[in-house]
C-alpha cells in the first residue's frame, strides 16, 4: 500500500493542484491532502473553507482524504503511515525551493518526495495569482475547480 501526503496551503485550491493530485492517483494507492496550519501566515480563505473546497472537489474519489496538520510535514506523514510526499513542479524556481525541503525530509525521516511536472498549460497557475485576480475582480473561474468557482 503506497500512501502519499500532498501538503500545501491550498489558499485556494487551483486546477494546477488538481492535475497533480489526479495524476498522483496513478502512482499511489491513497493520497492524503494535508492543509498545513501556520499561525504566522495570513490566508485569504479560512481553514474551514479551504478544507471544504478540497473535500467537495474530490468527493467522488475514495482514495483521497483531506486532513489538516500542524508542525513538521514528516511528523504528520509518520503519524499517518505515509511513506511519500507528493509535490508538483512548475518551473526551475519550484525545483530549487523543493529540493532542499525534500532532502531535509529524507534525511530526517526517510520520507521520499515524488515530484510530478505540471503540464505546460497549468505551469503559470498559482494560488497567489488566483488571489490577486480575485481581489481585483478579474475572472479567476477558469483557474479553479467548481467548488471555488461557486464561491461567488
Ligand atoms: P505551499 O503553501 O506549500 O506553497 P501550495 O498550496 O501553494 O502550497 O502548493 C502545494 C503544492 O502544489 C506544491 O507542490 C506546489 O508546487 C504545487 N502546485 C501549486 N500550483 C501548481 C501548478 N499550477 N502546477 C503544479 N503544481 C502546483
Amino acid at each position: 500500500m503506497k500512501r502519499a501526503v500532498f501538503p500545501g496551503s491550498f489558499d485556494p485550491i487551483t486546477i494546477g493542484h488538481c492535475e497533480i493530485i489526479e495524476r498522483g492517483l496513478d502512482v499511489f494507492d491513497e493520497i492524503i491532502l494535508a492543509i498545513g496550519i501556520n499561525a504566522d501566515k495570513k490566508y485569504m480563505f479560512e481553514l474551514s473553507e479551504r478544507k471544504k473546497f478540497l473535500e467537495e472537489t474530490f468527493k467522488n474519489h475514495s482514495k483521497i482524504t483531506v486532513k489538516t496538520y500542524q508542525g513538521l510535514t514528516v511528523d504528520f506523514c509518520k503519524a499517518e503511515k505515509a511513506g511519500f510526499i507528493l509535490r508538483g513542479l512548475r518551473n526551475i524556481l519550484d525545483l530549487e525551493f523543493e529540493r532542499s525541503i525534500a532532502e531535509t525530509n529524507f534525511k530526517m525521516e526517510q520520507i521520499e518526495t515524488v515530484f510530478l511536472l505540471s503540464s505546460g498549460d497549468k505551469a503559470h497557475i498559482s494560488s497567489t495569482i488566483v488571489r490577486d485576480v480575485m481581489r481585483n475582480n478579474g475572472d479567476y473561474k477558469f483557474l479553479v475547480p467548481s467548488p471555488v468557482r461557486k464561491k461567488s
Side-chain angles (χ1 to χ4, degrees), residues 5-29:
V5 165
F6 186 75
S9 311
F10 304 105
D11 188 29
I13 181 167
T14 70
I15 59 167
H17 295 123
C18 292
E19 184 201 13
I20 300 298
I21 295 162
E22 276 158 21
R23 285 171 43 207
L25 287 176
D26 290 335
V27 182
F28 298 108
D29 301 307

Side-chain angles (χ1 to χ4, degrees), residues 6-10 16-17 20 41 87-88 90 94 98 118 122 125:
F6 186 75
S9 311
F10 304 105
H17 295 123
I20 300 298
K41 221 167 148 178
R87 295 287 282 179
R90 286 164 289 193
D94 274 355
E98 295 288 343
S118 68
K122 304 212 173 49
I125 303 170

Side-chain angles (χ1 to χ4, degrees), residues 90-108:
R90 286 164 289 193
N91 50 46
I92 199 85
L93 293 176
D94 274 355
L95 174 64
E96 292 292 340
F97 177 73
E98 295 288 343
R99 183 191 173 106
S100 46
I101 300 173
E103 280 179 0
T104 309
N105 286 339
F106 189 76
K107 287 202 170 104
M108 281 194 292

Side-chain angles (χ1 to χ4, degrees), residues 4-7 20-21 24 28 31 84-88 113-116:
V5 165
F6 186 75
I20 300 298
I21 295 162
F28 298 108
I31 299 176
F84 303 89
I85 292 172
L86 172 64
R87 295 287 282 179
T113 302
V114 174
F115 296 102
L116 294 181

